[in-house]
Amino acid sequence: MRLTEVGLGCWQLGGDFGPVEAQQATNILEQAYESGVRFFDTADVYGDGISEKFIGKFAAQHDDIYIATKVGRDASLFPAQYTKQGVRKSIEASLQRLNVDSIDLIQLHCIPTEVLKEGEVFQWLKEFKQQGLIKHYGASVESMLEAKLCLDDADLTSLQLIINIFRQEAMTEVLDLAAKNNVGIIARLPYASGLLSGAVTAQRQFDTQDHRYYNRDGAAFHVGETFAGLPLEKALMLVEQLQCLLPESMSLAQGAIRWLLDYPQITSIITGASKPQQIAQNVLYANQQALSSELHKQLASFYHNEVSPWVRGNR
């Protein structure tokens, strides 16, 4: 698989950040395509399949895109009902919603660490690949321990991780190992739930369906998925400190995207978008000049000294 450096994360198309009309979803997908994006990442639980359905309709008109979806967080499986038959049934349901014969990339969706340790699920995915249900398989994980467990599987294609300027553990713990194993890295939450895009302020009000409202302290799922696991008040203070490190001509968003893509081990970053123009902007940032080595050193020091002590949840 060869993915575009910027992919579109499609969680928001399921309405999990607030209602999304069909035309709005279509406009976002079309703008991504027109901007050169050919990689679309979704999951069966995003809007209980709504996101996959939107992408399925879109894919019927565009045969040159890669679609990645996920399996393992549906209530029929999570947290402790994982069976070969159950996983297969979930994948078949995704195939139907996406309206495809075979899924380009299926990813285990933040399944429990113990299930990864047992390893049976990887054998099931190998069999599904041999049977043609899927073309490739990978895993979306929440911690470096889980990432390393997945890298033990020789046929793994990709790892999806939380990586951004506020979550830098993977840079030293996983990236080189993944490259050695020829496993692609998909970086999710590059903007740390909007913190690093400049879109989140102390006055910002979130829809009650938005995880930034209901999962701020990890009440619904892993706290690291929301604001990188940082308490919001502290995170906003850290954003101000970070802005002072960047050149005056560089926005937070531009720095966040360029920082990620300066690492050659990262195959693609997936950014969400609620407005079509945000996608074109992300692609523009990806094409900017690399950050200086000195700035990279400063950002690493900033993370370890100022940010890391405040991050909550497994890393």
Side-chain angles (χ1 to χ4, degrees):
M1 295 181 68
R2 297 188 63 84
L3 306 181
T4 49
E5 283 190 320
V6 176
L8 181 66
C10 298
W11 187 2
Q12 78 284 1
L13 298 187
D16 297 311
F17 293 70
V20 175
E21 298 296 330
Q23 188 58 54
Q24 181 185 2
T26 300
N27 291 344
I28 289 171
L29 293 168
E30 289 290 356
Q31 180 61 63
Y33 188 85
E34 290 174 13
S35 298
V37 173
R38 295 294 183 271
F39 175 44
F40 298 83
D41 177 89
T42 185
D44 56 355
V45 292
Y46 293 170
D48 195 23
I50 292 174
S51 177
E52 286 184 328
K53 289 179 180 178
F54 280 138
I55 294 172
K57 291 179 181 178
F58 176 76
Q61 306 300 320
H62 303 85
D63 61 2
D64 59 342
I65 65 174
Y66 280 108
I67 300 172
T69 191
K70 306 183 190 77
V71 62
R73 293 292 289 198
D74 183 87
S76 65
L77 300 172
F78 184 84
Q81 297 86 40
Y82 293 93
T83 64
K84 181 178 177 181
Q85 181 179 1
V87 172
R88 182 187 180 97
K89 184 177 180 180
S90 288
I91 291 174
E92 289 175 338
S94 289
L95 282 167
Q96 185 174 12
R97 288 188 291 267
L98 291 168
N99 194 29
V100 295
D101 296 324
S102 181
I103 292 172
D104 294 324
L105 175 65
I106 195 77
Q107 302 162 101
L108 298 174
H109 194 180
C110 299
I111 67 174
T113 307
E114 291 305 314
V115 179
L116 294 175
K117 285 182 179 178
E118 290 167 2
E120 270 191 307
V121 67
F122 294 108
Q123 184 57 45
W124 302 339
L125 293 177
K126 285 183 178 66
E127 292 182 26
F128 299 152
K129 181 178 178 180
Q130 292 168 355
Q131 295 163 7
L133 287 179
I134 60 177
K135 297 174 183 174
H136 302 276
Y137 67 84
S140 179
V141 299
E142 294 174 337
S143 71
M144 298 304 101
L145 170 61
E146 292 171 350
K148 293 170 186 176
L149 286 171
C150 293
L151 286 171
D152 286 338
D153 183 86
D155 294 327
L156 194 80
T157 292
S158 65
L159 265 179
Q160 187 177 136
L161 308 168
I162 302 172
I163 312 178
N164 55 59
I165 294 175
F166 284 170
R167 290 296 295 268
Q168 297 189 28
E169 296 82 13
M171 276 47 199
T172 55
E173 295 192 40
V174 170
L175 293 196
D176 286 345
L177 180 59
K180 180 181 178 182
N181 292 2
N182 197 32
V183 172
I185 295 291
I186 301 169
R188 74 176 183 273
L189 297 172
Y191 288 141
S193 305
L195 287 172
L196 298 175
S197 72
V200 176
T201 66
Q203 292 74 41
R204 175 77 181 269
Q205 298 294 313
F206 298 103
D207 191 282
T208 55
Q209 292 177 268
D210 192 320
H211 72 102
R212 292 171 293 183
Y213 174 84
Y214 65 79
N215 193 57
R216 194 168 293 184
D217 296 311
F221 43 80
H222 182 49
V223 68
E225 301 284 349
T226 305
F227 300 135
L230 293 165
L232 181 56
E233 184 176 346
K234 181 62 180 180
L236 292 173
M237 295 172 61
L238 291 169
V239 166
E240 292 181 10
Q241 291 178 247
L242 173 60
Q243 185 68 76
C244 293
L245 294 176
L246 301 178
E248 289 186 8
S249 60
M250 181 177 292
S251 68
L252 275 171
Q254 181 181 344
I257 296 298
R258 194 58 257 170
W259 177 81
L260 281 164
L261 291 177
D262 284 350
Y263 288 88
Q265 303 96 326
I266 293 178
T267 303
S268 187
I269 59 173
I270 49 174
T271 62
S274 57
K275 300 176 183 177
Q277 59 266 33
Q278 293 171 332
I279 303 161
Q281 191 176 52
N282 292 334
V283 173
L284 177 65
Y285 293 153
N287 292 323
Q288 299 298 305
Q289 186 176 358
L291 307 183
S292 68
S293 59
E294 180 59 32
L295 181 53
H296 271 284
K297 291 178 183 177
Q298 291 177 335
L299 293 175
S301 178
F302 167 70
Y303 175 73
H304 291 296
N305 295 330
E306 304 296 333
V307 181
S308 182
W310 293 91
V311 176
R312 301 167 294 174
N314 294 332
R315 285 185 271 176

